[in-house]
Amino acid sequence: MPGAGGSRRLSRRTVLIGAGAAVTAVGVGVSIAVAASGSGSSSPRGLAELTIGVNDVDAIGFSPDGAYLYAASDMQIQQWHTSNWQTGIQLNGDQVGLGALAVHPRGTLLAGVSDAVYVWNTQTGELLRSLDRMGSAVDPLEYYTCLQFNPDGSLLAVGDQQGLIKLWNTTTWTAEGELKGHSGSVGGVAFSPDGTTLVSGGANDDSVRVWKLSSREAIANAVQSGAVRAVSYSSDGRLYAAAYLDTVKFFDGTTHATAATIGGFALSITAASFVPGTHLVAAVDPNEDVRLCDPAPGAKQQSWSTDNGNDSVAVSPDGTMLAVGADGGGIHVWSIAAMKPAKDARN
């Protein structure tokens, strides 16, 4: 995917959910299968299985109220209603294949990146604007790689393949500043829950940087042993995490010291995100591995496999659902409670 230091166009995919067995066509290039819920086994059955076209799903995300799931495949973005997994609106534009999505905290806007920064109205599906187009068919290596809205929705942080993180004012859509320090592609960005800091990962310089937004300066910088392709903050701000190679590393949100390190994935992790209300990180790799990484000493690392490679991950805001974007246009959706070990069910 673009955010991983390469230039790969997004393809179309499938998504899983669960409570039946039939596959029903619900739109052009889109289908859904509903399966029975699992009970925490090594290969739990999903809540649902969704399909969007035939290419990879490199970008997915839930709305802030958890009512919708969005998935991008090539130049198509599909919305699903999480109450019944029926398709909603499609958001289309003139963008090249999208590598990342972010939903505004109020749920009214959806932003995505590829050769430009694109913003849609989530109620109408209208493409509202495209910002700073930088890529082209002639030079496909010029891409934006990652993005996230800050907690109050006033800023949108966007990383690119040149190591720059730009901050956009979401009212005026003017640039409000830049964070400079990475050399090469930015693998991920994440705001702290209080909005005062931003953590970023370097897909080329292997670094994890923490930025103080008031001064636009890096206050911490830790170099890892491989490309950092994803970063995330816990909902309480006590931890942030970075994924590189086969490892998820947890950092203390105050001291920035290493809090825990969990490795063992078969291939380099492509996406990782904290489960809200917990210190668990959901991480995936292209070798069909999905894992809930727990930084607690001696904790069981719950994992299972999908039927195809995984490129993206999203967790619902209430921490109940996990969605994984997979190869071939698929998205798997599971109940997190059904996957966690019984002793961790209260986390």
Side-chain angles (χ1 to χ4, degrees):
M1 63 197 300
S7 63
R8 182 157 76 92
R9 292 194 177 185
L10 194 62
S11 50
R12 304 183 184 226
R13 293 208 176 183
T14 314
V15 186
L16 303 180
I17 317 175
V23 176
T24 306
V26 291
V28 177
V30 179
S31 63
I32 177 173
V34 179
S37 297
S39 58
S41 64
S42 59
S43 298
R45 297 180 68 185
L47 293 174
E49 178 173 347
L50 315 174
T51 302
I52 175 171
V54 296
N55 295 326
D56 297 348
V57 179
D58 285 341
I60 55 177
F62 285 94
S63 63
D65 60 3
Y68 302 102
L69 176 69
Y70 298 91
S73 179
D74 200 18
M75 290 182 286
Q76 174 186 355
I77 302 175
Q78 180 64 54
Q79 177 197 75
W80 281 273
H81 298 269
T82 60
S83 60
N84 56 16
W85 299 108
Q86 296 301 301
T87 52
I89 61 173
Q90 289 186 359
L91 299 85
N92 299 303
D94 60 352
Q95 74 283 354
V96 180
L98 295 164
L101 294 176
V103 187
H104 190 277
R106 289 197 297 272
T108 54
L109 301 175
L110 179 73
V113 291
S114 58
D115 62 331
V117 182
Y118 298 92
V119 182
W120 291 268
N121 181 313
T122 58
Q123 297 175 323
T124 66
E126 177 188 3
L127 178 64
L128 299 177
R129 63 187 71 246
S130 58
L131 306 169
D132 267 16
R133 184 182 296 274
M134 63 187 294
S136 69
V138 176
D139 186 7
L141 295 179
E142 295 294 328
Y143 275 93
Y144 292 98
T145 57
C146 54
L147 76 169
Q148 190 181 55
F149 288 99
N150 71 342
D152 68 9
S154 61
L155 289 177
L156 176 66
V158 182
D160 68 22
Q161 287 194 323
Q162 306 305 316
L164 183 67
I165 301 169
K166 185 174 288 188
L167 303 174
W168 291 91
N169 181 302
T170 60
T171 300
T172 63
W173 293 107
T174 56
E176 282 206 349
E178 298 175 340
L179 306 178
K180 299 179 180 179
H182 285 291
S183 58
S185 183
V186 181
V189 292
F191 284 97
S192 62
D194 63 6
T196 62
T197 60
L198 179 140
V199 62
S200 61
N204 287 99
D205 62 17
D206 305 345
S207 69
V208 179
R209 298 172 187 260
V210 181
W211 306 85
K212 186 176 181 180
L213 292 175
S214 60
S215 64
R216 307 289 197 258
E217 296 179 348
I219 57 176
N221 180 22
V223 178
Q224 310 308 311
S225 58
V228 180
R229 302 184 186 278
V231 292
S232 183
Y233 256 104
S234 65
S235 54
D236 61 7
R238 293 174 57 189
L239 296 173
Y240 58 91
Y244 62 94
L245 301 179
D246 67 342
T247 300
V248 174
K249 181 176 285 189
F250 295 80
F251 297 86
D252 186 286
T254 301
T255 67
H256 310 295
T258 299
T261 301
I262 299 172
F265 283 80
L267 298 175
S268 292
I269 297 168
T270 53
S273 178
F274 271 99
V275 177
T278 78
H279 286 167
L280 301 174
V281 165
V284 299
D285 77 2
N287 193 51
E288 307 176 4
D289 290 342
V290 182
R291 185 177 301 187
L292 291 178
C293 301
D294 191 338
K300 179 180 179 181
Q301 306 304 316
Q302 187 77 349
S303 63
W304 61 99
S305 296
T306 58
D307 294 330
N308 41 22
N310 308 307
D311 290 320
S312 54
V313 68
V315 184
S316 62
D318 63 3
T320 62
M321 290 182 290
L322 173 67
V324 175
D327 295 337
I331 303 168
H332 311 286
V333 184
W334 292 280
S335 162
I336 289 179
M339 299 173 179
K340 292 161 61 177
K343 67 176 182 179
D344 295 332
R346 297 185 300 276
N347 289 354

